[in-house]
Amino acid sequence: MASHQRQDTYTGLTRDQEESQRLNLQHDLYVKSTGFHLHPRIVATLPADAHIAEVATGTGIWLRSLVASPQSCPGWKYTGFDLSAEQFPPQPERKGVDFQILDILKPPPEEKKGKYDVVHVRLLVCGLKGTDWSHAATNILALLKPGGWIQWHEGTFAELQFLQSTPLTPYPSASRELAQYAIRTLNEKESKVLTADVLDLPQTVAEAGFADVERYSFSSDRAEVREMREVATQVEIGAMVVLARYCARVHPEAGKSQSEVEGLVEKCWGEMREAGQWYCRWDMHVVTGRKAGR
């Protein structure tokens, strides 16, 4: 990473191949859960030559999937921004997406201002704290053309629930304990993964200068996608394992040693063999808003 860049705030979640695979699986879950790549209210306004960007793009799976989706138009252009290039796919897999380094907590360079019709954001709740949310929203506004859209998708992971599918299913106590430890530690020690930040996102976006702000809220286990419950559980427990290991390593004073966390992890994997009999659920929020001027 170049020396002029700030420290990566991708808290606890590594940028290795395993995490890239988890992000790609997570993408499938979220597109099926929302029912869209781009919210229909956005698609209805886009020109044939729209330029669509994503910040914190990671593997670029959302953009690469959008390229191949029915929502895409042949004339659209795509740019994926991230603080790190570590998860950018190799050139043959980029599907026409231009990948670039950008720190969304810094004002964008002049050549990128007012350039994009849409900026997509998804799941920064582990990376943002305090005023970071408003700084990110303000800098996204600067990237957009007049009339351009923000689409920001977050989840209330601090309210993660563990539910049994049958009356004979053992309760996943170890998975719940591990998740609660990770979330509590990140809340208290780093002011991250806070439910209030997600619930206040429409206000944050509006205060940054966006107009026509709307929230679309739904559950990860809504009836139409119940078959995705096992995938949702796999994705979320995988994330919680990595976050718990991070917390034990970085915040040893928070109540669990690394060996204690590893013991819980082993129990989690045992419980995961019963996934489908129990599952995780949380609420999702997609916030959209438009830059004034067109």
Side-chain angles (χ1 to χ4, degrees):
M1 186 180 299
S3 60
H4 67 277
Q5 294 173 339
R6 67 179 174 85
Q7 183 178 0
D8 193 338
T9 58
Y10 194 51
T11 299
L13 296 173
T14 58
R15 293 185 182 272
D16 56 20
Q17 185 175 5
E18 183 176 352
E19 174 61 8
S20 294
Q21 291 172 346
R22 191 190 70 82
L23 287 177
N24 292 345
L25 183 63
Q26 176 178 272
H27 166 77
D28 292 338
L29 167 67
Y30 286 171
V31 169
K32 289 181 179 178
S33 295
T34 60
F36 57 80
H37 286 77
L38 283 170
H39 195 285
R41 75 193 293 245
I42 295 176
V43 175
T45 71
L46 293 181
D49 61 348
H51 197 159
I52 298 169
E54 181 181 41
V55 300
T57 195
T59 66
I61 185 61
W62 182 83
L63 285 168
R64 292 185 288 138
S65 178
L66 175 60
V67 171
S69 79
Q71 286 190 314
S72 179
C73 286
W76 287 2
K77 294 176 288 186
Y78 305 90
T79 301
F81 293 118
D82 204 287
L83 182 64
S84 167
E86 290 179 33
Q87 289 177 295
F88 291 172
Q91 197 65 43
E93 298 176 16
R94 296 193 174 187
K95 299 186 183 298
V97 178
D98 179 26
F99 287 88
Q100 301 180 25
I101 299 294
L102 182 75
D103 183 350
I104 197 55
L105 295 185
K106 294 180 179 178
E110 287 299 320
E111 67 271 16
K112 299 188 189 306
K113 291 182 179 178
K115 185 175 180 180
Y116 303 96
D117 295 278
V118 180
V119 174
H120 176 258
V121 195
R122 189 165 64 183
L123 300 182
L124 290 185
V125 70
C126 286
L128 300 182
K129 61 181 179 179
T131 57
D132 287 351
W133 291 82
S134 59
H135 290 326
T138 298
N139 293 334
I140 289 168
L141 185 75
L143 289 170
L144 288 166
K145 299 175 183 177
W149 292 90
I150 186 174
Q151 178 175 298
W152 193 330
H153 183 159
E154 291 292 350
T156 54
F157 301 111
E159 311 303 320
L160 193 65
Q161 295 178 325
F162 294 79
L163 303 173
Q164 293 146 291
S165 300
T166 75
L168 299 179
T169 301
Y171 190 78
S173 301
S175 298
R176 182 174 183 269
E177 181 180 350
L178 191 81
Q180 287 187 326
Y181 160 71
I183 291 165
R184 182 180 65 250
T185 303
L186 290 172
N187 282 183
E188 294 176 356
K189 300 297 183 180
E190 300 188 13
S191 297
K192 294 178 179 177
V193 203
L194 296 172
T195 297
D197 288 334
V198 176
L199 297 182
D200 291 344
L201 186 56
Q203 180 179 346
T204 300
V205 168
E207 289 176 351
F210 285 91
D212 195 19
V213 176
E214 292 186 3
R215 182 208 309 262
Y216 168 42
S217 301
F218 55 99
S219 171
S220 66
D221 68 339
R222 66 189 179 91
E224 293 87 343
V225 287
R226 282 180 180 169
E227 73 276 6
M228 297 299 290
R229 284 177 175 176
E230 190 168 347
V231 173
T233 302
Q234 179 181 346
V235 164
E236 202 52 37
I237 296 304
M240 291 300 162
V241 165
V242 178
L243 289 174
R245 284 171 166 163
Y246 165 85
C247 289
R249 185 176 70 253
V250 176
H251 301 292
E253 75 285 1
K256 290 191 185 297
S257 67
Q258 292 186 54
S259 62
E260 287 174 317
V261 166
E262 289 305 317
L264 274 177
V265 169
E266 286 301 312
K267 292 179 181 178
C268 283
W269 295 145
E271 291 175 347
M272 283 296 292
R273 286 192 286 271
E274 301 298 324
Q277 301 302 305
W278 66 272
Y279 65 97
C280 300
R281 71 152 304 279
W282 62 95
D283 291 336
M284 299 183 187
H285 299 261
V286 176
V287 174
T288 58
R290 200 168 193 183
K291 184 174 182 176
R294 187 172 69 192

